[in-house]
Amino acid sequence: MLPWLRKVDDYFPLRYLSWWLCGLGAVLSAVGTWYFWPAWPWFILFMGLSLQGFRDVRQTKRAVLRNYPVIGHLRFLLEYIRPEMRQYFIESDNEATPFSRQQRSLVYQRAKGDPDKRPFGTQKDVGAAGYEWINHSMQPTQLPGHDFRVTIGGERAQPYSASVFNISAMSFGALSANAILALNAGAKAGGFAHDTGEGSISPYHRENGGDLIWEIGSGYFGCRTPAGRFDPEKFALNARDPQVKLIEIKLSQGAKPGHGGVLPGAKVTPEIALTRGVPAGEDCNSPAAHSAFATPVELMQFIVELRRLSGDKPVGFKLCIGHPWEWFAVAKAMQETGILPDFIVVDGGEGGTGAAPLEFTDHVGAPLQEGLLLVHNTLEGLGLRERVRIGSAGKIVSAFDIARAMALGADWCNSARGFMFALGCIQAQACHTGRCPTGVTTQDPLRQQALVVPDKAERVYRFHRNTLHALQELVQAAGLLHPGEISANHIVHRVSPHEVRLLTNLLPFVRPGALLEGELPGAVFKTYWPMASARSFEPVRPLRRGFLGV
């Protein structure tokens, strides 16, 4: 600052200049209106800004506004639009925050039916650590179509032939009515499944008749007593609906594992209350733990009860891996009781939700790779892998994402945010505010109107179809007949600029039947398998203080 300006600032702080100029503008426009010309619109503007400046210096919550009345609001305006400015002008195509521009563009193009080809070569640094590719064959195959299927619950009276790519769990309430309608209509057209999320089955899930995976969370929405316990009669009424193909018990979700939730009473509209079976206008609690079972053996028994009540439909559970001994306890309960879930969905810690504490989003729950491998390896070690199907979810939007998950042991994949992009989501990250700019995650009737159901349903259908067509081309290039044949031998991972390794040599894989033979392969099994008991989720012996166990 120039010396003379500094002296002026000592007596007349320049940070108030914008406020004073607004006051001067108000005076001049008032005088002009009285003597010369009708300048009353300017008087209203400058007088309003002057009063705002007076309010700024009197308020006690924001120090910036007290020191910089009027002009200080620019700081909050720029902060408000910063994510959009970064997304549109600063962020590179490959910055993943949480999904890169390239990933989003791929979904948009496939959903719209636009060309998804890329000119002039890859934008990825193929020499950077972490770069991956799938090995191709000198004798590619030719497949008749891309409708890849996997049978879930082959031993049940009502098995389900599922697509290898489905809509992951998103509840009505988290998503708008129009979003649910469009997702289900797209699922119906494409012959794939739509997970209800734990918010139960709404009228919007039923209207178009698409296949449903009914998720049962700890709040037992749609099948609960007034006290919030599991209600067998209400469950049977919904579960026997022909539209419901699978029953999924949600033990935890990747975005906030081990964390319950509360839908504030103000958001519990009569529609949501009717769908969830809770009183309208009252807080709707989703506890962190289930009340229908307390031990791994009781979980297996609960699975049997749900099968009976549903007319012997496939029943499984979803979890994000946390304490390894708890998962091992569930595996031991399968072994001890002889009761197997028909499927297990592994949710990665990179999963998303409309709202979660930052620490849970960033630092709780095993990522998909580690969780999926642990579940797959455990079932392999117990000789159960062929009898239990595994689904996976966690930032899966492209055909390569699906192929990689299958290489790690998945039988099929689910995607939530990928299908949200297909609906028109622009990653504004305003899901928790009720002010979603595209009508996907809001209950505001006016905002929902932006989402035109027939158009978005077609986009959901096309995204699924074109992604599976891309998967077909990958499978053919690898010389295979089905994506289920993709293994860790097909995926190459760059470890350093001068070293690459197959995933099968880089990641731990357990030999079939190894656990039955008393073998404990790797540090995780050696440390935690002896601690697990089918009779309790608690460890048999506590971890020593300071022991990392890795």
Side-chain angles (χ1 to χ4, degrees):
M1 184 182 290
L2 296 174
W4 67 272
L5 278 179
R6 192 182 301 278
K7 290 182 178 180
V8 171
D9 187 56
D10 289 338
Y11 296 98
F12 302 98
L14 296 179
R15 62 181 183 272
Y16 292 152
L17 183 60
S18 59
W19 181 26
W20 293 339
L21 289 176
C22 288
L24 180 61
V27 171
L28 292 177
S29 56
V31 171
T33 299
W34 185 264
Y35 290 105
F36 304 110
W37 71 92
W40 58 267
W42 292 104
F43 172 75
I44 292 174
L45 173 64
F46 286 123
M47 192 63 192
L49 290 174
S50 300
L51 292 175
Q52 180 63 54
F54 181 76
R55 182 176 183 272
D56 289 342
V57 297
R58 298 289 294 174
Q59 57 83 37
T60 58
K61 293 184 178 180
R62 291 178 171 175
V64 169
L65 294 182
R66 284 174 67 85
N67 273 334
Y68 298 88
V70 182
I71 200 171
H73 286 276
L74 282 176
R75 186 259 183 195
F76 298 101
L77 173 63
L78 293 172
E79 184 181 60
Y80 182 75
I81 64 173
R82 178 182 179 276
E84 288 77 13
M85 294 300 98
R86 175 177 172 78
Q87 183 181 127
Y88 295 138
F89 301 113
I90 301 172
E91 184 180 274
S92 74
D93 284 350
N94 290 312
E95 281 188 76
T97 54
F99 286 86
S100 69
R101 165 67 63 181
Q102 189 176 76
Q103 288 173 307
R104 300 195 303 272
S105 295
L106 179 67
V107 177
Y108 297 148
Q109 288 164 337
R110 288 179 173 167
K112 294 175 183 178
D114 292 343
D116 60 358
K117 305 300 185 285
R118 292 287 188 273
F120 226 68
T122 181
Q123 294 183 16
K124 293 184 177 296
D125 182 356
V126 300
Y131 176 72
E132 292 183 335
W133 68 91
I134 184 169
N135 280 334
H136 66 281
S137 171
M138 295 178 66
Q139 292 185 312
T141 54
Q142 287 295 320
L143 304 180
H146 57 257
D147 187 23
F148 301 117
R149 299 262 155 191
V150 57
T151 299
I152 303 172
E155 300 175 3
R156 306 275 72 80
Q158 301 183 60
Y160 180 54
S161 178
S163 170
V164 297
F165 190 44
N166 302 287
I167 301 171
S168 197
M170 294 180 284
S171 302
F172 169 57
L175 297 192
S176 68
N178 282 9
I180 296 294
L181 285 169
L183 287 172
N184 198 257
K188 176 68 173 179
F192 54 99
H194 178 191
D195 194 311
T196 65
E198 68 173 308
S200 191
I201 308 170
S202 71
Y204 307 106
H205 287 99
R206 301 184 191 275
E207 185 168 322
N208 292 304
D211 292 348
L212 294 178
I213 302 170
W214 184 17
E215 183 176 276
I216 309 296
S218 55
Y220 306 111
F221 302 125
C223 58
R224 61 185 268 143
T225 66
R229 310 284 292 188
F230 176 70
D231 187 321
E233 292 183 4
K234 290 181 180 177
F235 172 81
L237 186 64
N238 275 323
R240 290 178 180 266
D241 187 325
Q243 195 178 343
V244 175
K245 305 299 182 182
L246 302 175
I247 312 295
E248 178 183 274
I249 305 166
K250 191 196 89 168
L251 302 181
S252 57
Q253 67 181 95
K256 47 181 179 180
H259 190 283
V262 178
L263 188 64
K267 294 185 178 181
V268 183
T269 65
E271 264 190 325
I272 292 175
L274 182 63
T275 296
R276 298 194 176 199
V278 298
E282 295 183 14
D283 289 352
C284 177
N285 292 302
S286 182
H290 279 261
S291 59
F293 54 87
T295 69
V297 168
E298 289 178 1
L299 170 59
M300 296 301 111
Q301 293 167 346
F302 188 53
I303 288 173
V304 172
E305 182 182 10
L306 297 190
R307 282 181 184 146
R308 178 183 64 81
L309 293 169
S310 66
D312 202 29
K313 291 183 178 180
V315 177
F317 56 83
K318 178 179 84 173
L319 82 167
C320 177
I321 292 295
H323 294 309
W325 67 78
E326 293 182 347
W327 156 242
F328 289 157
V330 173
K332 286 187 174 182
M334 298 181 205
Q335 191 179 24
E336 181 176 312
T337 63
I339 302 169
L340 302 181
D342 296 296
F343 64 92
I344 299 171
V345 175
V346 182
D347 209 5
E350 60 270 53
T353 184
L358 179 65
E359 290 80 3
F360 279 77
T361 298
D362 290 347
H363 302 295
V364 181
L368 179 59
Q369 175 174 287
E370 285 67 30
L372 179 56
L373 265 180
L374 188 63
V375 171
H376 170 75
N377 280 338
T378 305
L379 295 177
E380 281 280 21
L382 292 175
L384 302 175
R385 183 62 187 86
E386 295 303 314
R387 296 179 59 192
V388 182
R389 297 296 188 187
I390 299 179
S392 65
K395 293 190 75 171
I396 294 174
V397 296
S398 73
F400 183 78
D401 296 336
I402 297 173
R404 191 184 192 281
M406 289 187 156
L408 297 178
D411 292 302
W412 85 90
C413 297
N414 296 333
S415 177
R417 287 168 289 180
F419 282 99
M420 286 175 67
F421 291 141
L423 287 172
C425 168
I426 60 172
Q427 196 171 272
Q429 300 184 61
C431 311
H432 60 299
T433 66
R435 297 190 295 272
C436 172
T438 58
V440 176
T441 62
T442 179
Q443 298 305 308
D444 183 333
L446 292 177
R447 287 179 178 268
Q448 284 190 51
Q449 290 179 8
L451 199 158
V452 180
V453 173
D455 174 66
K456 303 307 182 187
E458 182 66 19
R459 292 191 183 194
V460 168
Y461 162 71
R462 280 196 295 252
F463 169 56
H464 178 269
R465 181 194 64 194
N466 292 333
T467 301
L468 286 193
H469 176 69
L471 181 62
Q472 175 190 354
E473 293 184 323
L474 282 183
V475 172
Q476 290 175 161
L480 306 174
L481 299 175
H482 189 277
E485 296 178 9
I486 299 172
S487 72
N489 290 309
H490 293 98
I491 309 293
V492 187
H493 181 95
R494 182 173 291 283
V495 179
S496 72
H498 307 292
E499 182 183 4
V500 299
R501 297 175 68 181
L502 292 172
L503 287 188
T504 191
N505 297 323
L506 187 62
L507 301 174
F509 286 90
V510 172
R511 180 175 56 83
L515 293 174
L516 295 176
E517 298 170 11
E519 182 182 336
L520 296 177
V524 172
F525 285 93
K526 284 185 173 66
T527 302
Y528 297 114
W529 185 260
M531 297 169 58
S533 167
R535 299 291 165 176
S536 174
F537 286 110
E538 295 292 327
V540 172
R541 54 183 174 81
L543 283 173
R544 298 193 303 276
R545 183 175 179 83
F547 179 66
L548 296 178
V550 295

